[in-house]
């Protein structure tokens, strides 16, 4: 069945009739550039603290406002500038550099005074027939994002002009339907924020609890409530076998049967396996060296610059070793490297690493506790990914 013109695929049942489709410049929406030229702030006008936040490229992202590396100008400088001061319910659109990033200045933003820089514009709906919440959601829709991409990336230097933005076509219903769409999508955004916060809190809790466990500030008890034996210090090379693989990245096959570990957080696939069992893997060089770790129990293959810890002695629990190794190894590498970055890892950095180990029953109890935390974090991540896909589908189907 052919889709009707200016009617979205997904709609609340109490509304009907075709939507309007007009250019931004035809419906009373104001597009405001920032101040330029002699009034533009220079280095002397900025400070880490001040009266007005002067937005930079890192403040306006594809996910909205992010307030990091903030720069402020004084009240005196702010009063000199004529254009670009944000009002409540303004939309900020980046027009140079990372073109098409959108942020919304609503009541959730704690800063009272903000200004755009010369690579942004303000989109203001005052006096128009468009709800600002609706317009912000529409700017994130596939329909308008595709239009932004088509225009801004049509030249060697991606950018948008006020004239081009005024020609963007907006499809919109009557105000009550706009408000209902905006409220519904805001609720979805609130769910996403909730899931992100939950995941961040779980990760923060896990990091803190691991530090306390491995420093022995927190100890587990046995089934009778008694203390386990004292921890003993061992070198990793004394409790397991450590070697590197024999494969190269070119050996991967996206449809391969087995995991293939290749010096990054990403796990590729391959048609062969060189080991079947419990193992811990970390990169010898490449992306995230000293920071990416994998645990596996099964068939796999690995890169010639990927270190593999396996064949653990019977009194040592592989999953416990994975947790303590991934928690403490990077700090050791930094100390041995005598600098703030790591280029590559030598075998002895792993084999001679000294680790305190509890008895096997306490190792198992600690590993099971941390594994349960990981499962909660993974469940949260899955919910987050599903909600992101759900929102993506809504943005595609609720607008026309």
């Amino acid at each position: 069945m052919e889709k009707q013109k200016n009617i979205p695929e997904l709609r609340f049942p109490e509304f009907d009739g075709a939507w309007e489709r007009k250019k931004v410049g035809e419906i009373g929406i104001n597009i405001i550039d920032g101040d330029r030229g002699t009034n533009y702030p220079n280095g002397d006008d900025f400070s880490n603290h001040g009266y007005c936040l002067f937005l930079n490229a890192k403040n306006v992202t594809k996910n909205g406002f992010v307030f990091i590396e903030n720069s402020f100008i004084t009240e005196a400088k702010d009063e000199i500038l004529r254009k670009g001061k944000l009002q409540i319910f303004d939309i900020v659109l980046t027009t140079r550099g990372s073109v098409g990033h959108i942020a919304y200045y609503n009541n959730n933003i704690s800063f009272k005074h903000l200004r755009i820089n010369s690579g942004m514009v303000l989109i203001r709906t005052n006096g128009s027939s468009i709800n600002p919440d609706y317009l912000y959601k529409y700017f994130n829709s596939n329909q308008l994002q595709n239009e932004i991409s088509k225009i801004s990336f049509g030249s060697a230097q991606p950018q948008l002009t006020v004239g081009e933005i005024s020609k963007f076509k907006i499809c919109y219903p009557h105000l009550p339907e706009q408000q209902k769409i905006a409220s519904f999508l805001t609720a979805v955004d609130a769910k996403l924020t909730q899931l992100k916060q939950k995941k961040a809190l779980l990760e923060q809790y896990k990091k803190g609890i691991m530090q306390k466990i491995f420093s022995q500030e927190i100890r587990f008890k046995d089934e009778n409530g008694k203390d386990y034996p004292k921890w003993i210090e061992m070198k990793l090379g004394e409790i397991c076998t450590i070697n590197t693989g024999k494969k190269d990245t070119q050996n991967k096959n996206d449809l391969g049967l087995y995991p293939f570990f290749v010096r990054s957080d990403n796990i590729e696939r391959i048609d062969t396996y060189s080991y079947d069992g419990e193992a811990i893997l970390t990169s010898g060089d490449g992306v995230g060296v000293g920071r990416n770790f994998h645990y596996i129990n099964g068939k796999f293959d690995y890169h010639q610059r990927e270190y593999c810890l396996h064949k653990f002695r019977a009194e040592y629990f592989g999953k416990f070793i994975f947790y303590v190794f991934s928690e403490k190894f990077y700090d050791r590498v930094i100390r041995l490297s005598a600098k703030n970055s790591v280029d590559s890892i030598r075998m002895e950095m792993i084999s001679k690493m000294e680790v305190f180990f509890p008895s096997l029953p306490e190792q198992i109890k600690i590993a099971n506790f941390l594994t349960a935390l990981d499962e909660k974090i993974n469940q949260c991540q899955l919910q987050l990914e599903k909600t992101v896909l759900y929102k993506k589908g809504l943005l595609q189907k609720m607008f026309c």
Side-chain angles (χ1 to χ4, degrees), residues 183-294:
S183 296
F184 180 73
L185 292 173
T186 297
V188 176
D189 284 337
K191 177 66 174 176
L192 281 170
T193 300
Q194 183 185 44
L195 288 169
K196 288 174 185 176
Q197 289 174 342
K198 181 180 177 182
K199 182 170 180 271
L201 287 171
L202 283 169
E203 289 171 337
Q204 185 180 355
Y205 172 72
K206 180 190 169 188
K207 184 174 180 62
I209 204 75
M210 284 176 73
Q211 290 173 347
K212 291 183 177 181
I213 288 172
F214 296 133
S215 66
Q216 300 179 58
E217 183 180 341
I218 291 177
R219 290 289 306 273
F220 286 75
K221 305 283 186 180
D222 68 15
E223 284 69 20
N224 299 315
K226 295 182 178 180
D227 292 336
Y228 284 110
K230 287 182 65 175
W231 293 27
I232 60 170
E233 192 173 38
M234 296 289 289
K235 293 178 180 177
L236 287 178
E238 297 171 336
I239 66 167
C240 66
T241 298
I242 306 168
N243 58 22
T244 53
K246 296 181 180 178
K247 296 294 191 299
D248 203 347
T249 308
Q250 65 188 19
N251 298 124
K252 73 175 183 176
N253 178 355
D254 292 342
L255 301 176
L257 295 173
Y258 308 106
F260 182 34
F261 298 97
V262 292
R263 304 181 299 161
S264 80
D265 279 331
N266 296 326
I267 303 173
E268 303 289 352
R269 306 295 298 180
I270 197 168
D271 288 325
T272 63
Y273 70 91
S274 59
Y275 190 73
D276 183 2
E278 189 178 37
I280 300 161
L281 296 108
T282 191
S283 303
D285 55 27
V287 178
V289 59
R291 286 187 179 275
N292 63 67
F293 305 92
H294 301 281

Side-chain angles (χ1 to χ4, degrees), residues 88-106:
I88 197 70
F89 305 131
D90 278 350
I91 296 166
V92 178
L93 173 66
T94 56
T95 56
R96 293 206 300 273
S98 299
V99 176
H101 288 179
I102 315 239
Y104 185 39
Y105 183 48
N106 59 15

Side-chain angles (χ1 to χ4, degrees), residues 311-329:
K311 295 181 181 176
F312 307 110
R313 280 169 47 181
E315 62 269 38
Y316 295 93
F317 192 56
K319 199 65 180 287
F320 175 86
I321 299 169
F322 166 75
Y323 282 118
V324 72
F325 178 55
S326 59
E327 172 66 14
K328 292 183 171 292
F329 183 57

